[in-house]
Amino acid sequence: MDSSAPAEVDPDATGVSFRPAEATDLSELVSMLADDPLGAKREAWGDPLPLGYTEAFEAIRKDPNNELVVAVLGDHLVGMLQITFIPYLTYQGRWRALIEGVRIASNARSKGLGAAMIGWAVQRARDRNCVMVQLTTDRAREDALRFYERLGFVASHHGMKLHL
């Protein structure tokens, strides 16, 4: 395979399925977000969850240009991502898809589920007639950077953030 060509994963081969996140998934989703060194510093998983998580979930659920999606294997929630569809004036007014909050449960990694989930999201962007899919990942996540490059993503821009 050409190293610049995106890796293709057949979701049927992994047995994973995708669906919109439900309110009953929220605690497990926050747990996944908190289950790494970076997430552990910024997330507050506990019982009860801070109200901000429920408010954000409802805002995402009500917005037709936002989808919070979970990956399910058997009866187990094994992954999540948020995909946001953004209109732009560039590219002749075409839309972009932004992928954020990608997580695979720690006990389900290295089984092709992440590639299947990203493949699903890219197809979803195609279905919405997006001109591109973009995402960011923390530079400290070296494995994630290699993963996205293997899937065909290119570090074409220098991203910057200002925390408020």
Side-chain angles (χ1 to χ4, degrees):
M1 174 191 262
D2 177 354
S3 64
S4 65
E8 300 214 7
V9 174
D10 178 6
D12 293 332
T14 63
V16 69
S17 61
F18 305 98
R19 66 166 171 79
E22 299 170 356
T24 55
D25 299 326
L26 193 52
S27 180
E28 199 166 351
L29 298 177
V30 174
S31 174
M32 266 193 271
L33 291 171
D35 186 24
D36 70 40
L38 295 176
K41 294 177 186 174
R42 61 182 177 226
E43 304 305 337
W45 180 71
D47 186 19
L49 287 175
L51 183 60
Y53 290 115
T54 302
E55 292 170 341
F57 177 85
E58 285 303 314
I60 293 165
R61 187 185 64 76
K62 291 176 182 177
D63 184 341
N65 291 316
N66 270 289
E67 298 177 6
L68 186 59
V69 177
V70 296
V72 180
L73 188 60
D75 294 333
H76 302 283
L77 195 148
V78 294
M80 64 177 289
L81 64 74
Q82 181 175 342
I83 185 167
T84 302
F85 303 99
I86 309 165
Y88 276 84
L89 287 178
T90 61
Y91 287 92
Q92 301 175 31
R94 303 272 309 273
W95 288 60
R96 298 176 191 202
L98 174 66
I99 298 174
E100 291 281 333
V102 177
R103 294 292 189 283
I104 294 293
S106 57
N107 64 352
R109 293 183 186 142
S110 299
K111 298 178 182 175
L113 301 175
M117 189 166 62
I118 295 297
W120 180 91
V122 168
Q123 184 58 51
R124 184 75 181 108
R126 283 187 179 107
D127 294 345
R128 292 275 305 245
N129 201 32
C130 292
V131 69
M132 75 175 63
V133 176
Q134 56 193 39
L135 56 79
T136 61
T137 190
D138 194 290
R139 289 180 186 182
R141 297 182 191 272
E142 293 177 6
D143 290 342
L145 289 166
R146 284 190 297 274
F147 168 74
Y148 292 123
E149 287 171 350
R150 185 173 55 83
L151 295 179
F153 286 84
V154 176
S156 62
H157 290 68
H158 190 88
M160 302 173 82
K161 294 186 180 193
L162 175 65
H163 285 272
L164 306 177

